[in-house]
Amino acid sequence: MLPKVKLCRKHTFVTRLCDICPQFCTADPLTVTAAKPPTIAFVIPCYNEQAGIQHTLTCLLGDINKLKKAKAISPNSYVLLVDDGSTDRTWELIEKISNAQPKRVRALKLSRNVGHQNALLGGLLAQIGNAVISLDADLQDDMSVVLKMIDNFNGGAEIVFAVRKGALLTAALSAARRTSTIAFSIGSAQISFRTMPISA
């Protein structure tokens, strides 16, 4: 099981830093409570999605509004669309949408196509908030499980997996590979990977 992250006021941008090198951290501990709804960044990598991006956002923003009204997430929560070097009008549409709703939709354009996982990593590095939920642009993900994921996050979980029924093993292996790649890219060689329980 992964260790719980010790947050501090000095190193909030690298949440594991104080666990890796506590002898160098002299900052005061940062108290984390579940009383305040977390700010969630919904990160969506996009590649040639001009046909469906508007429909995706309409549905997603509707679901996010419900979560905000239920006070499950902060009103500052937002969607981050990452254009992965699309060759169609995807970026043009993303830019138009984000300019029209800057508080609800943000945009990130990559200089070229780097692949889904690298686009996701770019979104993770660019996000501002308490947590990130990654989604596919084609609405394959079930938004009904988001509330349960947030409950687990508020309960102290560092990473929460939502696994589709019937694809548990494949999804678990894929998620583990992605998590290891992201952790290695963001962190340092001192980070050791540990077995992680899978929770739906």
Side-chain angles (χ1 to χ4, degrees), residues 15 86 106 110 129:
T15 57
S86 296
R106 300 180 187 181
L110 304 182

Side-chain angles (χ1 to χ4, degrees), residues 115-168:
H116 182 87
Q117 298 307 324
N118 287 322
L120 175 58
L121 176 59
L124 293 177
L125 292 173
Q127 67 83 26
I128 300 173
N130 301 117
V132 174
I133 295 178
S134 65
L135 300 168
D136 290 334
D138 55 8
L139 290 179
Q140 287 187 24
D141 300 296
D142 184 3
M143 283 293 290
S144 68
V145 302
V146 169
L147 188 57
K148 186 175 180 181
M149 294 173 73
I150 292 170
D151 285 342
N152 279 273
F153 171 74
N154 287 336
E158 295 178 23
I159 299 173
V160 182
F161 289 113
V163 181
R164 292 187 183 98
K165 292 180 179 179
L168 178 61

Side-chain angles (χ1 to χ4, degrees), residues 4-180:
K4 286 195 175 182
V5 173
K6 174 188 174 185
L7 296 179
C8 77
R9 298 186 187 281
K10 187 176 180 182
H11 297 132
T12 53
F13 64 100
V14 182
T15 57
R16 293 190 185 280
L17 185 57
C18 300
D19 283 336
I20 295 170
C21 55
Q23 66 271 26
F24 298 113
C25 182
T26 58
D28 295 329
L30 178 65
T31 302
V32 180
T33 65
K36 188 176 180 181
T39 297
I40 305 294
F42 295 85
V43 177
I44 305 179
C46 303
Y47 180 70
N48 290 349
E49 302 287 350
Q50 67 175 25
I53 192 64
Q54 184 62 65
H55 174 69
T56 294
L57 270 177
T58 299
C59 295
L60 179 57
L61 289 175
D63 289 331
I64 290 175
N65 281 340
K66 291 177 184 176
L67 291 169
K68 288 180 179 180
K69 287 181 180 178
K71 297 185 178 179
I73 61 176
S74 165
N76 296 323
S77 298
Y78 62 93
V79 176
L80 174 61
L81 299 172
V82 182
D83 180 53
D84 185 21
S86 296
T87 57
D88 61 1
R89 295 179 59 243
T90 296
W91 174 248
E92 180 184 335
L93 295 172
I94 289 175
E95 196 172 25
K96 182 179 179 181
I97 294 166
S98 63
N99 286 336
Q101 305 182 68
K103 291 184 178 180
R104 303 176 73 199
V105 181
R106 300 180 187 181
L108 176 65
K109 180 177 175 59
L110 304 182
S111 61
R112 60 186 175 84
N113 179 252
V114 295
H116 182 87
Q117 298 307 324
N118 287 322
L120 175 58
L121 176 59
L124 293 177
L125 292 173
Q127 67 83 26
I128 300 173
N130 301 117
V132 174
I133 295 178
S134 65
L135 300 168
D136 290 334
D138 55 8
L139 290 179
Q140 287 187 24
D141 300 296
D142 184 3
M143 283 293 290
S144 68
V145 302
V146 169
L147 188 57
K148 186 175 180 181
M149 294 173 73
I150 292 170
D151 285 342
N152 279 273
F153 171 74
N154 287 336
E158 295 178 23
I159 299 173
V160 182
F161 289 113
V163 181
R164 292 187 183 98
K165 292 180 179 179
L168 178 61
L169 180 60
T170 302
L173 292 174
S174 177
R177 283 196 297 270
R178 290 198 302 269
T179 303
S180 296

